[in-house]
Amino acid sequence: MSSLLERYGETAGPDAVEQLRQLAAPLRGCRIVHVNSTRTGGGVAEILNQLVPLLAELGLTVEWHVIEGTPAFFSCTKKFHNCLQGGGEPPTPHELHEYERVNGENAERMREVLREADLVVIHDPQPAPLLHFTPDRKGRWIWRCHIDASRPVRPVWHYLRRFLRDYDASIFSLADFARALPHPQYLIAPAIDPFSPKNCDLSDEFIANVLSDFGLDPERPLLLQVSRFDRFKDPVGVIQAYRMVKPFFPRSQLVLAGGSADDDPEGAAVLAEVRAAAESEKGSVQILELPPDAHRIINALQRAARIVIQKSTKEGFGLTVAEALWKGKPVIGGNTGGIRLQVVNYHTGFLVNTPEGAAMRLRYLLQNPDVMARMGEEGRRHVRENFLLSRLAREHLTLMNFLLHRDAERIDMTQWTS
């Protein structure tokens, strides 16, 4: 089997791979550490599962560590997630105490790794206080925020900010997400690996078998949303939109496929709400609770779908949008956050704000298969040019070189400074 770099040379071009090699060369011998809150489930884990091996193949020493937590800790960090996105109730004093206690314990458990690393990348709020508990650190630290923090609940942001201010840099996905912090901030959009199990080519036979296993009719138009069962993904709104489409396309079928991340305690409650909303649509709506490693199954569903939906009301990026576009599918996405980077209105899909808007666009596309095909072609090209892992690796390496070597004249990326 060819290496990751060889395969990227075939997809992104040999010049892109050579650029990665040149950027990696000054970093050889450095110890790079990524820390997040879950090994499986959610976009952060998916990105790290792909990015870490690619950087290692470039000859870098890269480690990925996952913090350990209690139910009260993850209840607190889920509330952080909701509040950073502008809604939900803040954590209780007990949960905040547990948040700091758990981070202190994790910092002690990983003390040697965190203290000796040349570069530490901390992902999202869950492990943000680790720097506070590592006063004798040797290297540079980056906080990577994958969340839409454009309109956070202010007391929650002010609480978190005291753990973030001593970082050397922060990374946000969009300029709108960036918050005032006393250090440089950079904009790096996430990306997908086209060779991962979730995005690689599949045989027609495998796709047909997946549809058969779930009782899906390959002759009926399949509408699909893939996401964690999270209220910000608005799965109930997707069902409402489908109800408005079904009278015009009675043979259509809707699938809501996903699961929950290890660090999301609300997943079971949201899944119950979705099942209740779909109860009256038996035979037409299927709710699939999939395990975290069901990547090829999701791949097959996306390839079998006529249209992919991602009707989020808040979204840091939405890797499932890039995945669908890479497979040549038009996407109807929520007009929010990182979805706007990917769904170019009227070109790679449609941006919508309401179930009614989603229903109108679904009906339009189902009536116009030629438009679906054109949008699919534009979507795949858009991802190839902007959202492949080779671009993400290049921007990470560029930032790391800057932080370690301070050679600003060689930097080739956007810096946003508060």
Side-chain angles (χ1 to χ4, degrees), residues 23 26 163 174 185 231 283 368 390 394:
L23 287 167
F163 294 116
L174 282 80
Q185 297 166 55
R231 291 185 182 90
N368 294 277
S390 50
R394 183 186 74 234

Side-chain angles (χ1 to χ4, degrees), residues 1 7 19 40 57 60 62 86 88 148 175 206 259 266 290 303 344 348 367 374 378 398 404:
M1 180 180 293
R7 286 185 286 174
Q19 188 178 34
T40 60
E57 193 167 306
L60 304 184
V62 187
D148 177 353
F206 183 86
E266 292 183 354
L290 301 176
R303 292 183 183 279
V344 182
T348 66
Q367 290 167 344
R374 174 180 58 78
E378 291 193 34
T398 302
L404 286 182

Side-chain angles (χ1 to χ4, degrees), residues 3-299:
S3 69
L4 281 171
L5 288 174
E6 289 172 339
R7 286 185 286 174
Y8 268 102
E10 297 169 1
T11 302
D15 289 346
V17 172
E18 179 57 28
Q19 188 178 34
L20 291 179
R21 293 187 192 279
Q22 292 178 8
L23 287 167
L27 297 171
R28 292 195 181 107
C30 297
R31 188 178 187 181
I32 302 168
V33 173
H34 287 267
V35 184
N36 80 320
S37 61
T38 178
R39 188 76 62 176
T40 60
V44 179
E46 288 188 22
I47 290 171
L48 290 176
N49 267 305
Q50 299 155 9
L51 180 63
V52 170
L54 180 61
L55 296 179
E57 193 167 306
L58 287 164
L60 304 184
T61 302
V62 187
E63 303 173 31
W64 174 15
H65 295 267
V66 176
I67 61 171
E68 300 170 358
T70 62
F73 171 82
F74 288 118
S75 174
C76 179
T77 58
K78 180 62 179 180
K79 289 178 179 178
F80 282 156
H81 184 277
N82 292 343
C83 287
L84 286 179
Q85 296 195 142
E89 61 181 80
T92 65
H94 168 72
E95 289 170 333
L96 293 176
H97 178 269
E98 186 70 355
Y99 174 66
E100 296 182 27
R101 186 192 69 78
V102 166
N103 268 284
E105 286 189 353
N106 278 275
E108 183 61 33
R109 179 173 60 85
M110 295 187 285
R111 179 161 301 281
E112 181 181 352
V113 171
L114 297 176
R115 185 176 56 217
E116 298 300 324
D118 297 285
L119 282 161
V120 178
V121 185
I122 300 294
H123 295 264
D124 284 335
Q126 294 93 329
L130 288 179
L131 176 57
H132 174 76
F133 292 106
T134 313
D136 52 348
R137 52 123 172 196
K138 164 188 169 185
R140 306 285 183 178
W141 284 53
I142 304 169
W143 184 59
R144 198 331 175 186
C145 180
H146 297 267
I147 301 169
D148 177 353
S150 55
R151 292 178 177 83
V153 175
R154 288 190 175 276
V156 169
W157 171 251
H158 289 156
Y159 171 82
L160 287 171
R161 190 180 186 277
R162 65 190 180 95
F163 294 116
L164 304 174
R165 60 193 177 199
D166 291 331
Y167 279 76
D168 298 289
S170 294
I171 301 173
F172 294 88
S173 298
L174 282 80
D176 287 347
F177 295 176
R179 308 301 306 159
L181 288 165
H183 55 241
Q185 297 166 55
Y186 297 85
L187 307 179
I188 300 179
I192 63 168
D193 180 357
F195 309 111
S196 70
K198 193 179 276 189
N199 296 302
C200 65
D201 292 336
L202 298 174
S203 68
D204 292 340
E205 180 183 9
F206 183 86
I207 296 171
N209 287 339
V210 169
L211 294 180
S212 176
D213 289 344
F214 291 116
L216 296 168
D217 187 344
E219 302 302 319
R220 296 172 60 187
L222 175 62
L223 313 177
L224 173 71
Q225 174 157 305
V226 176
S227 67
R228 289 182 293 109
F229 292 106
D230 182 308
R231 291 185 182 90
F232 283 116
K233 311 295 183 183
D234 198 19
V236 173
V238 174
I239 295 172
Q240 293 170 347
Y242 174 72
R243 287 200 185 105
M244 301 177 214
V245 171
K246 187 179 176 184
F248 299 90
F249 295 92
R251 297 187 69 252
S252 62
Q253 50 193 340
L254 171 66
V255 170
L256 294 170
S260 61
D262 294 344
D263 58 351
D264 184 357
E266 292 183 354
V270 177
L271 177 59
E273 294 171 8
V274 175
R275 291 193 188 283
E279 185 66 27
S280 62
E281 300 293 341
K282 285 184 177 179
S284 296
V285 176
Q286 285 213 41
I287 313 300
L288 305 181
E289 186 180 11
L290 301 176
D293 61 350
H295 302 309
R296 289 184 182 272
I297 292 174
I298 291 172
N299 188 346

